């Protein structure tokens, strides 16, 4: 049976040694001293390993069941949900006004990684509630906020996001769900949504659906889409629950992974809804939820990689097979443990160096969100907007790959359900697809984000990398191992951006044929930058003296591995990008 241990030590290192959170002037950060963050993370870690992780295989094997219109979640989910609810974890980083704890997003993100790593399917019920509540907070009227937010922050009512329809996923302009205006200011929604995560379940008194639909007579395509609040139970003026609304779950999908999360077909039959935000500006309002969700999905990639790695590492130390080529390491046993073999080491180092770099990237991204939302920093806003598709696409692709590597460490046992490794791979797979498939993330990055505000944000990123290298070039300990490889990788990124600028306008296929490689190239440079920053922090700690020398030396060795073995992938991505559209587009569709 697999287990999960929260990576609290590593999170503390990133928060305090690398990001120096408590020294920043972002509102709320002064309180984030080591003791405080340690207390929160220890508590979240305990729930993750003791409550959520043991339920992960239960959710996988039992799944959700639809009976008489009611979805039954797996055994133990409801009690665990109560426990998470009572701890106030859902609204950790949401404002106090509606019952939140107003802690910075960066801390919520660290906790989110733990919960997701321990049990992704379970955590989605809560994550979607957070996202829906954030959208109501950003776009709702005072009355809507008062009606829904206290119960959503408390997770007494959960939330969903309803975009997808049978004939439209990426291209939401094709949407058919209709919202007819009523005399009392409400709307009647009719249509079908599919693949709705947490759409129906038995863990909350009410479910607040945020639904995209078209008001008849509005503009064609995506410009005619509006967002609506559609509660499962209508809410009376005094806040108590009234009649059942005209929204029902028609079916739950059988799927590859995240079995503990109900993926529902939702039928809207004249359901009563209320406009959230402005008419025909639904995508703008939904993007509040989607941007948050995209970052949360990137985190799922990292979280599944972490839990898979933890178990692969334990197995590699325990399983005896063959002898080390350099001489026997376990003379008392019939064979040496797997971890002596260089190829197993290569796999474990790939996993470890990705995970720790990705965690720093994730928490840095969360810090940018805090700087933007709490501190009103427009540059931070621009940077995180640029990097959202990279966080989502790169971390989920690589996170999935890492779960496969971890499964491979188990040999045949990795393929057998009893060991639990297959669940991590199956659960991680969806993160590459939902919230906009990763190909569409790459399209967003190259087609929109790169040129946003005349390319100001990508230029700011290049400048930031350049400045970091320049400021630290005199440090011999960093130069060869970290700064030189970072410089080379960053040059590859700049060359690819230049290629898009020179060729994208006259031949858009040339840009889009390389967009996926660009997303990965960008991701590698971000992780390279994170490793250089972590190396600087580790050197600093070793220089002043530390009781935890082994931790910092391990950090440096792991970083050197990333810079030598993974970061050079940027050259391959650049070569592919510069090959342009032709190798990709040469064949006619009929020739395939
Ligand atoms: C388990 C699960 C849970 C989900 N949860 C939710 C949810 O809670 N709410 C919700 O609304 N939806 C949800 N979805 C739907 C999910 O977000 C969509 O499946 C996803 O966005 C892709 O849409 P699609 O399946 O229609 O694929 P399509 O849009 O048909 O795309 C198919 C492929 O073509 C590519 N593609 C499409 N257009 C382009 C283009 N212009 N350029 C290049 N490539 C392109 C895509 O990258 C993809 O690989 C969920 C899906 C699943 C499987």
């Amino acid at each position: 049976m697999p287990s999960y241990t929260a990576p609290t030590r590593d999170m503390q290192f990133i928060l305090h040694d690398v990001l120096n959170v408590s020294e920043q002037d972002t509102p709320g950060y002064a309180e984030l001293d080591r003791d405080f963050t340690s207390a929160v993370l220890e508590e979240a870690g305990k729930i993750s390993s003791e409550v959520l992780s043991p339920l992960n295989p239960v959710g996988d094997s039992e799944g959700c069941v639809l009976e008489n219109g009611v979805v039954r979640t797996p055994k133990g989910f409801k009690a665990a949900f109560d426990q998470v609810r009572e701890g106030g974890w859902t609204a950790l980083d949401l404002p106090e006004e509606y019952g939140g704890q107003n802690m910075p997003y960066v801390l919520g993100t660290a906790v989110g990684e733990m919960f997701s790593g321990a049990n992704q399917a379970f955590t989605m019920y809560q994550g979607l509630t957070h996202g829906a509540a954030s959208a109501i907070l950003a776009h709702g009227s005072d009355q809507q906020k008062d009606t829904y937010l206290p119960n959503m922050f408390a997770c007494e009512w959960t939330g969903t996001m309803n975009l997808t329809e049978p004939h439209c996923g990426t291209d939401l302009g094709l949407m058919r769900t209709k919202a007819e205006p009523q005399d009392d200011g409400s709307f009647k929604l009719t249509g079908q949504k599919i693949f709705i995560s947490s759409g129906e379940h038995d863990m909350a008194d009410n479910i607040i659906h945020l639904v995209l639909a078209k008001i008849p007579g509005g503009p064609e395509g995506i410009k005619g889409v509006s967002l609506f609040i559609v509660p499962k139970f209508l809410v009376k003026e005094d806040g108590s629950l009234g009649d059942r609304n005209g929204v029902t779950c028609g079916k739950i999908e059988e799927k590859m992974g995240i079995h503990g999360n109900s993926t529902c077909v939702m039928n809207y039959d004249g359901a009563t809804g209320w406009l959230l935000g402005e008419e025909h500006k639904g995508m703008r309002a939904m993007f509040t939820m989607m941007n948050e969700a995209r970052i949360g999905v990137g985190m799922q990639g990292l979280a599944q990689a972490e839990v898979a790695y933890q178990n692969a590492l334990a197995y590699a130390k325990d399983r005896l097979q063959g002898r080390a080529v350099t001489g026997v390491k376990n003379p008392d046993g019939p064979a040496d443990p797997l971890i002596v073999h260089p190829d197993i080491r290569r796999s474990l180092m790939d996993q470890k160096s990705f995970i720790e770099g990705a965690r720093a990237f994730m928490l840095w991204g969360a810090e940018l969100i805090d700087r933007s939302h709490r501190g009103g920093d427009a540059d931070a806003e621009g940077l995180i907007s640029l990097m959202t598709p990279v966080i989502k696409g790169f971390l989920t692709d690589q996170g999935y790959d890492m779960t496969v590597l971890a499964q491979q460490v188990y040999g045949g046992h990795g393929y057998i359900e009893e060991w639990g490794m297959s669940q991590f791979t199956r659960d991680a797979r969806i993160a590459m697809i939902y919230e906009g498939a990763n190909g569409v993330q790459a399209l967003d990055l190259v087609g929109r984000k790169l040129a946003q505000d005349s390319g100001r944000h990508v230029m700011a990123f290049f400048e930031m990398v350049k400045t970091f290298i320049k400021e630290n070039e005199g440090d011999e300990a960093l130069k060869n191992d970290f700064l030189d490889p970072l410089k080379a990788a960053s040059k590859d990124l700049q060359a690819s951006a230049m290629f898009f600028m020179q060729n994208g306008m006259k031949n858009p296929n040339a840009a889009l044929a390389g967009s996926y490689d660009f997303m990965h190239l960008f991701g590698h440079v971000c992780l390279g930058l994170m490793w250089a920053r972590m190396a600087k922090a580790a050197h600093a700690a070793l220089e002043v003296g530390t009781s935890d020398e082994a931790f910092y030396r391990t950090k440096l060795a792991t970083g050197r591995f990333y810079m030598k073995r993974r970061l050079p992938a940027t050259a391959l991505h650049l070569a592919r990008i510069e090959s342009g559209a032709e190798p990709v587009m040469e064949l006619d569709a009929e020739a395939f």
Side-chain angles (χ1 to χ4, degrees):
M1 191 61 64
S3 65
Y4 177 78
T5 307
T8 312
R9 174 71 185 92
D10 202 43
M11 288 176 175
Q12 285 283 82
F13 165 71
I14 297 165
L15 290 176
H16 299 289
D17 293 30
V18 182
L19 300 177
N20 297 315
V21 283
S22 57
E23 287 161 33
Q24 290 188 27
D25 55 9
T26 304
Y29 270 46
E31 286 139 47
L32 295 182
D33 60 46
R34 277 180 197 269
D35 288 347
F36 179 74
T37 58
S38 163
V40 174
L41 295 178
E42 289 295 340
E43 193 53 36
K46 220 165 121 195
I47 295 178
S48 303
S49 53
E50 292 174 11
V51 180
L52 305 186
S53 169
L55 285 177
N56 200 36
V58 179
D60 190 50
S61 59
E62 274 188 28
C64 295
V65 182
L66 174 64
E67 266 171 2
N68 306 321
V70 178
V71 171
R72 210 177 53 239
T73 49
K75 210 181 309 127
F77 267 41
K78 202 165 181 315
F81 206 68
D82 283 340
Q83 210 170 326
V84 170
R85 180 186 278 144
E86 277 154 25
W89 293 103
T90 309
L92 194 72
D93 60 329
L94 292 172
E96 278 168 343
E97 191 183 353
Y98 299 103
Q101 303 200 44
N102 202 29
M103 290 182 199
Y105 187 73
V106 74
L107 198 55
T109 301
V111 170
E113 189 209 309
M114 293 181 181
F115 285 8
S116 250
N119 196 327
Q120 178 174 327
F122 175 93
T123 303
M124 285 170 66
Y125 293 96
Q126 202 207 346
L128 283 152
T129 306
H130 185 287
S134 300
I136 295 175
L137 187 67
H139 303 283
S141 64
D142 286 345
Q143 195 218 341
Q144 287 172 335
K145 291 184 204 171
D146 291 343
T147 305
Y148 300 107
L149 292 185
N151 278 311
M152 292 180 82
F153 279 24
C155 220
E156 296 293 342
W157 299 352
T158 60
T160 70
M161 57 190 291
N162 291 237
L163 295 86
T164 309
E165 297 183 7
H167 57 284
C168 81
T170 304
D171 189 355
L172 292 167
L174 301 173
M175 185 172 295
R176 291 188 193 137
T177 300
K178 257 190 332 201
E180 308 261 9
Q182 306 296 300
D183 291 344
D184 64 356
S186 68
F187 290 78
K188 290 274 180 223
L189 277 84
T190 306
Q192 189 180 65
K193 297 287 178 181
I194 62 165
F195 300 165
I196 304 308
S197 299
S198 319
E200 177 61 51
H201 59 87
D202 56 359
M203 300 193 292
D205 296 337
N206 203 0
I207 302 178
I208 311 304
H209 304 288
L210 297 194
V211 186
L212 285 177
K214 284 184 172 172
I215 301 170
E220 286 296 307
I222 199 73
K223 293 204 169 97
V225 169
S226 306
L227 185 59
F228 299 88
I229 301 177
V230 185
K232 173 177 165 183
F233 288 100
L234 298 172
V235 183
K236 293 188 202 159
E237 258 176 38
D238 65 359
S240 62
L241 296 185
D243 293 341
R244 179 75 202 251
N245 204 352
V247 47
T248 49
C249 170
K251 182 186 168 203
I252 49 177
E253 305 290 356
E254 294 284 327
K255 55 193 191 292
M256 176 177 171
I258 55 164
H259 295 155
N261 192 269
S262 54
T263 306
C264 303
V265 171
M266 299 303 297
N267 294 320
Y268 292 85
D269 300 308
T272 303
W274 289 270
L275 188 67
L276 176 61
E278 291 174 54
E279 257 183 35
H280 312 316
K281 298 267 167 62
M283 284 312 291
R284 219 184 78 194
M286 191 53 122
F287 258 107
T288 304
M289 185 164 184
M290 277 160 62
N291 278 335
E292 181 181 302
R294 284 179 177 177
I295 291 170
V297 171
M299 182 173 72
Q300 290 176 343
L302 155 66
Q304 290 309 300
E306 166 71 37
V307 66
Y309 164 70
Q310 285 184 14
N311 287 282
L313 175 62
Y315 192 81
K317 287 182 174 175
D318 188 56
R319 172 82 168 168
L320 305 181
Q321 288 294 296
R323 289 292 186 190
V325 281
T326 50
V328 172
K329 295 284 187 294
N330 177 32
D332 298 334
D336 288 337
L338 289 176
I339 198 164
V340 303
H341 303 305
D343 189 58
I344 292 287
R345 290 293 188 102
R346 183 260 323 155
S347 166
L348 293 172
M349 287 303 285
D350 270 342
Q351 296 168 57
K352 181 173 168 61
S353 67
F354 163 74
I355 289 163
E356 293 176 18
R359 179 169 299 122
F361 183 30
M362 191 72 232
L363 292 176
W364 175 49
E367 185 220 301
L368 289 174
I369 291 177
D370 279 328
R371 270 179 20 210
S372 148
H373 290 183
R374 293 175 164 250
D377 180 339
D379 292 340
E381 165 96 43
L383 209 49
I384 189 62
S385 162
L386 171 73
M387 286 190 310
T388 297
V390 182
I391 291 175
K392 198 284 183 180
F394 181 70
L395 296 193
T396 59
D397 277 357
Q398 297 259 315
Y400 173 78
D401 287 352
M402 297 307 152
T403 65
V404 174
L405 287 182
Q407 193 180 24
Q408 190 78 5
V409 169
Y410 277 69
H413 301 276
Y415 200 70
I416 302 299
E417 290 297 340
E418 187 190 332
W419 290 88
M421 296 306 283
S422 136
Q423 186 188 355
F424 302 137
T425 306
R426 288 184 288 100
D427 285 1
R429 184 67 182 86
I430 185 58
M432 298 156 75
I433 299 171
Y434 58 19
E435 279 316 319
N438 283 356
V440 174
Q441 300 300 324
L443 180 71
D444 179 42
L445 177 65
V446 170
R448 247 166 42 88
K449 298 289 175 64
L450 207 51
Q452 208 170 38
D453 297 324
S454 313
R456 192 156 64 83
H457 309 303
V458 76
M459 295 311 287
F461 179 81
F462 291 146
E463 201 49 44
M464 188 177 59
V465 175
K466 209 165 108 188
T467 307
F468 180 83
I469 293 172
K470 215 165 169 189
E471 280 175 1
N472 294 287
E473 233 159 15
D475 188 341
E476 278 306 312
L478 286 181
K479 191 170 177 321
N480 290 347
D481 291 340
F482 291 93
L483 301 181
D484 289 349
L486 176 60
K487 196 190 257 179
S490 176
K491 271 194 179 148
D492 289 344
L493 187 65
Q494 289 184 47
S496 60
M498 187 61 78
F499 175 84
F500 292 145
M501 264 183 245
Q502 286 167 350
N503 297 281
M505 291 297 261
K506 53 180 192 261
N507 182 6
N509 278 346
L512 297 186
S515 59
Y516 212 90
D517 280 286
F518 186 74
M519 181 173 76
H520 276 254
L521 204 173
F522 207 148
H524 276 299
V525 174
C526 289
L527 260 60
L529 174 65
M530 290 301 111
W531 271 117
R533 288 181 65 177
M534 289 194 281
K536 183 180 161 141
H539 276 301
L542 289 167
E543 226 163 85
V544 295
T546 163
S547 58
D548 204 358
E549 203 178 311
F551 175 86
Y552 293 104
R553 295 215 177 278
T554 304
K555 192 57 80 179
L556 287 170
T558 311
R560 282 193 292 271
F561 177 93
Y562 196 88
M563 301 316 258
K564 282 203 173 78
R565 300 265 314 200
R566 295 194 67 80
L567 194 58
T570 59
L572 171 65
H573 290 304
L574 175 61
R576 286 180 182 158
I577 290 165
E578 289 185 335
S579 74
E582 206 188 319
V584 173
M585 300 301 286
E586 194 179 348
L587 295 184
D588 288 335
E590 298 73 43
F592 279 85

